Amino acid sequence: VDLVSEASKMVVAPMPNLYFTRDPFAMIGNGVSINRMYSITRNRETIYGEYIFNYHPDFKGTPQYYSRYNTFHIEGGDILNINEHVLAIGISQRTEPDAIDGIAHNIFNDPTSPVDTILAFNIPNNRAMMHLDTVFTQIDVDKFTIHPGIMGPLSVFEITPEGDGIKVHEINAPLEQILEKYIGMPVTLIPCGGGDRIAAEREQWNDGSNTLCIAPGRVVVYERNDVTNAVLRKNNIDVIEIPSAELSRGRGGPRCMSMPVVRED
């Protein structure tokens, strides 16, 4: 079949991963990170983000905390806004520690940025847990979904401003304890699969821990993760299910396929 007919010619070659809009750029507070992607192929996706934030009348002038031309890779699936002051970033298969170091300097040196703490989560380096949001997402002010695979000892690095630079402090404590310190209230961790190891492994491959929170306590999830979705409802979460069909085979859930530009407090 001749895909390029006279009636319809593609101006540019298609970018097959572009539906994962979370990764090429990520909003951080009132600024944006134009990311350096892990793969050369996907790095093309950041070009349109660069043009939007440099030239679009609604978005030009937005503080930029990272550049697609930087050496070290970082992707939006590893960047989670916990609240106005706290940012979580995954050290993962797709995000390097040096990138986090660089973005921290830029965020803290922006006088308009409300972010004063960055928590760098060191997660396993493998495809099943390629981004922080594949194993950990926030679904309410005090509730998180989590894959049981990162429930054990977890290295978290607290990054805060110090003079013109940054200070890094390693924290070795249970995840609940770490989160409670920065959120200021008790937290609930809801495991993918409800704690059932077999269900957790199966539903993790269908992004059971990757939820799109559209309001506190209201999330969009794949309908096929019935065990995890039932547990979310038991925890008084408003669950909106969508069919995943073939989408989950691309290794991404509802959060991966969204990039909110503006968030209400």
Side-chain angles (χ1 to χ4, degrees):
V1 178
D2 183 6
L3 296 178
V4 184
S5 67
E6 285 303 312
S8 175
K9 287 187 177 179
M10 289 182 174
V11 177
V12 295
M15 290 187 273
N17 288 317
L18 198 55
Y19 60 98
F20 292 129
T21 48
R22 178 71 59 162
D23 296 328
F25 63 89
M27 307 308 296
I28 297 172
N30 59 355
V32 66
S33 169
I34 310 291
N35 297 323
R36 171 77 179 187
M37 305 289 278
Y38 174 71
S39 75
I40 295 171
T41 306
R42 286 205 70 188
N43 211 42
R44 293 180 297 163
E45 299 168 26
T46 62
I47 296 172
Y48 80 93
E50 178 186 32
Y51 273 76
I52 289 169
F53 287 98
N54 283 342
Y55 303 110
H56 193 288
D58 291 343
F59 300 109
K60 66 181 180 180
T62 300
Q64 295 186 21
Y65 300 134
Y66 209 74
S67 165
R68 64 184 302 274
Y69 303 105
N70 285 0
T71 304
F72 303 106
H73 45 77
I74 184 171
E75 296 192 355
D78 280 313
I79 298 173
L80 283 74
N81 292 273
I82 300 295
N83 56 35
E84 188 183 23
H85 295 284
V86 181
L87 183 73
I89 305 181
I91 305 168
S92 71
Q93 184 190 54
R94 307 292 170 97
T95 295
E96 296 175 285
D98 295 281
I100 299 174
D101 182 270
I103 203 170
H105 277 90
N106 294 335
I107 291 169
F108 295 150
N109 287 331
D110 173 17
T112 72
S113 172
V115 176
D116 53 35
T117 304
I118 296 173
L119 300 176
F121 287 72
N122 194 8
I123 65 172
N125 185 330
N126 61 56
R127 185 168 170 79
M129 304 183 185
M130 80 171 62
H131 290 135
L132 182 60
D133 72 2
T134 62
V135 293
F136 176 75
T137 49
Q138 189 172 16
I139 56 177
D140 204 339
V141 290
D142 60 348
K143 296 184 181 75
F144 298 82
T145 56
I146 186 166
H147 179 56
I150 66 163
M151 290 287 278
L154 186 68
S155 292
V156 177
F157 300 90
E158 177 197 65
I159 305 170
T160 51
E162 185 173 66
D164 294 330
I166 61 173
K167 180 173 71 173
V168 181
H169 171 63
E170 184 173 0
I171 307 169
N172 289 298
L175 185 56
E176 295 100 317
Q177 192 175 317
I178 295 170
L179 292 171
E180 285 170 2
K181 174 183 175 182
Y182 296 99
I183 292 176
M185 65 181 76
V187 302
T188 302
L189 300 182
I190 302 172
C192 176
D196 181 310
R197 183 178 174 186
I198 301 300
E201 292 296 332
R202 183 179 68 248
E203 296 195 353
Q204 170 65 9
W205 278 106
N206 295 314
D207 291 283
S209 305
N210 186 275
T211 56
L212 171 61
C213 185
I214 56 176
R218 177 176 295 165
V219 298
V220 179
V221 297
Y222 285 155
E223 65 181 4
R224 66 170 59 183
N225 295 318
D226 54 291
V227 176
T228 303
N229 295 347
V231 175
L232 292 175
R233 289 191 172 100
K234 283 182 182 175
N235 282 271
N236 299 316
I237 301 297
D238 182 8
V239 177
I240 301 168
E241 295 183 345
I242 60 170
S244 65
E246 295 295 294
L247 286 175
S248 60
R249 295 182 67 184
R251 298 300 307 127
R255 186 180 192 273
C256 301
M257 290 178 234
S258 67
M259 187 56 254
V261 174
V262 177
R263 293 179 178 87
E264 295 177 0
D265 289 341

